[in-house]
Amino acid sequence: MPEMDGVEVLNQLGMQGCKARIAISSGVGSRIMAAAHISAYEHGLDIAGLLSKPIRLETLREFLYCDPSLHPSIPDVKPAEELGNAPITSSDIRKAIQSEHFRLDYQPKVNCVSRRVTGFEALIRWDCPIKGLIMPDRFIQLSEELGLIGLITDQVVDNALNWHQSMAEIDKLSISINLSANSLQDLDLANWLEKMCDQAGIKKELVVLEITETAALGDQLLALDIFTRLRMKGFGVWIDDFGVGNSSLRVLARLPFSGIKLDKSFAMTATTSQESRIIIKSTVELSHSLGLLVIAEGVEDRETLDFLQEIGCDHAQGYYISRPMSGSTAADWMGGYHDRLDMAVSG
Ligand code: C2E
Ligand code: CA
Ligand code: CA
């Protein structure tokens, strides 16, 4: 690389939409490598892992043959390739709402000790007949800006609650729903959600609302009222992407959250970055002292799940357990996953 440094190469690959799996190798030290990893991830690159120089042959061999996508217990339900990057217009989104082209995938979360499934998070996808599969990062923010997110949230809540009703052992499974900042402007949110739960016949205690820190920072007084109402009615309210916003601690102290969801960038780098491990451990301690539960997302390997168990983290979510799946696949997957777990415990 005579003309560009490694970081610039990663930026260029990100801009060109490179889909190859990439290994980052350098002799600069683990902290800088971990930073490069996070930056590459944020550019949308698929990073297979980090290799510190000098590279030993055994390490390289282990690295090449430990591809988690080859791990038999991980169902490989990667989303179909997105078709092109044509711009999305407000009329596209309106049509999608009318024609109900949005659907939900579900990703399980597990208890770090028992490893059993404690709930699922609903994640929206847009099956556009013209543009193909479109992931939420491409349309949620735009829908918020266009004032269309409320209509999308209505469909998400309706679908997620109905799906939850169709699952076995529902009394033990929570359902997590992502709410956008705009929902926190609506003082009637708690009443509306309560009505939706009553109609679907689901206990409010099983419904978890995930709200990002940045969203909660908007109009704090209004958010405080809305959160308090939601919590009084029994809903769980979790702060999403914790640790990447700008005044996390103030938000934690002020708003009545039931738990925090540590941003996936920490668990994803836990095996390679001591700093990430320290942040995870300290956040777990801080949250427990405040009486909050903690979930780590972005768990991509067994080593990270074992680490989370060791430091007392409550829940984990990530590709190592399962990628997000369609509603019917999720139901089958859970049966098989618990059978394998019981077999591992008994013998
Ligand atoms: P999020 O709420 O932080 O959701 C987690 C994202 O991380 C999901 O991306 C999930 O597929 C991905 N993920 C889960 N485990 C792993 C892992 O181990 N490794 C890696 N690299 N990624 C993992 P997705 O589905 O593309 O969703 C992106 C974001 O879109 C969500 O981030 C959420 O903020 C937003 N979103 C999704 N569904 C909805 C919705 O119904 N309403 C609203 N308002 N926002 C939504
Ligand atoms: Ca979320
Ligand atoms: Ca998150």
Side-chain angles (χ1 to χ4, degrees), residues 107-109 119-123 144 153 157 174-181 183-184 189 193 207-216 227 230 235-242 257-262 264 295-297 315 317:
Q107 187 180 33
K109 59 171 195 234
F120 286 85
E121 175 177 8
L123 293 159
E144 285 173 355
T153 306
V157 170
S174 66
I175 176 83
S176 303
I177 296 172
N178 292 287
L179 287 186
S180 87
S183 308
L184 295 182
L189 179 73
L193 280 167
V207 178
V208 174
L209 306 161
E210 295 190 2
I211 295 158
T212 62
E213 203 175 337
T214 335
F227 277 35
L230 288 167
F235 292 105
V237 181
W238 286 61
I239 186 162
D240 205 348
D241 301 344
F242 183 79
F257 287 105
S258 25
I260 73 150
K261 206 162 180 182
L262 199 54
K264 58 177 175 278
I295 174 164
E297 65 180 340
H315 302 278
Q317 183 177 339

Side-chain angles (χ1 to χ4, degrees), residues 120 162-170 173 327 330-332 334:
F120 286 85
N162 282 322
W163 174 79
H164 183 271
Q165 269 308 84
S166 70
M167 289 292 283
E169 295 185 83
I170 49 170
L173 286 183
D332 294 343
M334 191 171 74

Side-chain angles (χ1 to χ4, degrees), residues 262-265 267-269 296-301 304 317-319:
L262 199 54
D263 187 68
K264 58 177 175 278
S265 56
M268 283 172 67
T269 51
E297 65 180 340
V299 177
E300 295 192 343
D301 49 56
T304 304
Q317 183 177 339
Y319 292 171

Side-chain angles (χ1 to χ4, degrees), residues 31-302:
R31 197 185 163 104
I32 299 176
M33 292 246 299
H37 186 182
I38 294 173
S39 140
Y41 169 75
E42 271 161 14
H43 278 95
L45 295 171
D46 182 3
I47 303 299
L50 307 180
L51 283 169
S52 293
K53 282 181 189 168
I55 304 167
R56 292 185 315 128
L57 189 60
E58 296 91 282
T59 319
L60 180 63
R61 191 175 287 127
E62 204 177 286
F63 183 87
L64 291 173
Y65 293 105
C66 274
D67 181 348
S69 63
L70 303 177
H71 194 294
S73 71
I74 303 174
D76 192 18
V77 279
K78 283 189 193 158
E81 269 317 281
E82 286 192 26
L83 294 180
N85 280 319
I88 294 165
T89 64
S90 68
S91 112
D92 291 338
I93 299 180
R94 274 176 227 280
K95 271 186 224 144
I97 296 170
Q98 267 160 15
S99 324
E100 302 198 357
H101 283 158
F102 296 111
R103 66 173 169 84
L104 296 174
D105 272 355
Y106 297 88
Q107 187 180 33
K109 59 171 195 234
V110 299
N111 178 299
C112 289
V113 178
S114 71
R115 310 264 159 127
R116 293 187 80 81
V117 178
T118 54
F120 286 85
E121 175 177 8
L123 293 159
I124 194 168
R125 276 87 183 86
W126 174 2
D127 277 326
C128 174
I130 300 158
K131 296 190 170 83
L133 175 73
I134 306 177
M135 299 302 274
D137 284 338
R138 285 193 58 210
F139 65 87
I140 290 292
Q141 201 191 339
L142 182 63
S143 308
E144 285 173 355
E145 286 161 13
L146 294 167
L148 293 170
I149 194 72
L151 296 171
I152 297 179
T153 306
D154 289 358
Q155 292 187 2
V156 168
V157 170
D158 194 29
N159 288 345
L161 297 184
N162 282 322
W163 174 79
H164 183 271
Q165 269 308 84
S166 70
M167 289 292 283
E169 295 185 83
I170 49 170
D171 282 347
K172 296 194 195 109
L173 286 183
S174 66
I175 176 83
S176 303
I177 296 172
N178 292 287
L179 287 186
S180 87
N182 302 40
S183 308
L184 295 182
Q185 306 297 311
D186 175 7
L187 206 53
D188 199 41
L189 179 73
N191 288 335
W192 174 72
L193 280 167
E194 182 175 44
K195 210 168 75 203
M196 295 294 279
C197 287
D198 290 346
Q199 272 168 14
I202 167 172
K203 286 195 212 132
K204 291 177 292 251
E205 288 70 20
L206 294 173
V207 178
V208 174
L209 306 161
E210 295 190 2
I211 295 158
T212 62
E213 203 175 337
T214 335
L217 276 173
D219 180 341
Q220 285 219 23
L221 201 56
L222 191 57
L224 183 61
D225 285 351
I226 295 172
F227 277 35
T228 311
R229 283 192 176 179
L230 288 167
R231 298 285 288 125
M232 278 164 62
K233 289 192 188 291
F235 292 105
V237 181
W238 286 61
I239 186 162
D240 205 348
D241 301 344
F242 183 79
V244 293
N246 40 22
S247 53
S248 323
L249 296 176
R250 191 157 57 102
V251 171
L252 257 197
R254 218 178 123 75
L255 297 173
F257 287 105
S258 25
I260 73 150
K261 206 162 180 182
L262 199 54
D263 187 68
K264 58 177 175 278
S265 56
F266 298 106
M268 283 172 67
T269 51
T271 53
T272 51
S273 154
Q274 200 196 355
E275 287 76 15
S276 293
R277 288 195 297 279
I278 293 172
I279 290 173
I280 298 173
K281 190 163 181 275
S282 317
T283 309
V284 168
E285 281 163 10
L286 170 72
S287 308
H288 285 171
S289 326
L290 291 168
L292 302 172
L293 291 168
V294 189
I295 174 164
E297 65 180 340
V299 177
E300 295 192 343
D301 49 56
R302 189 185 177 119

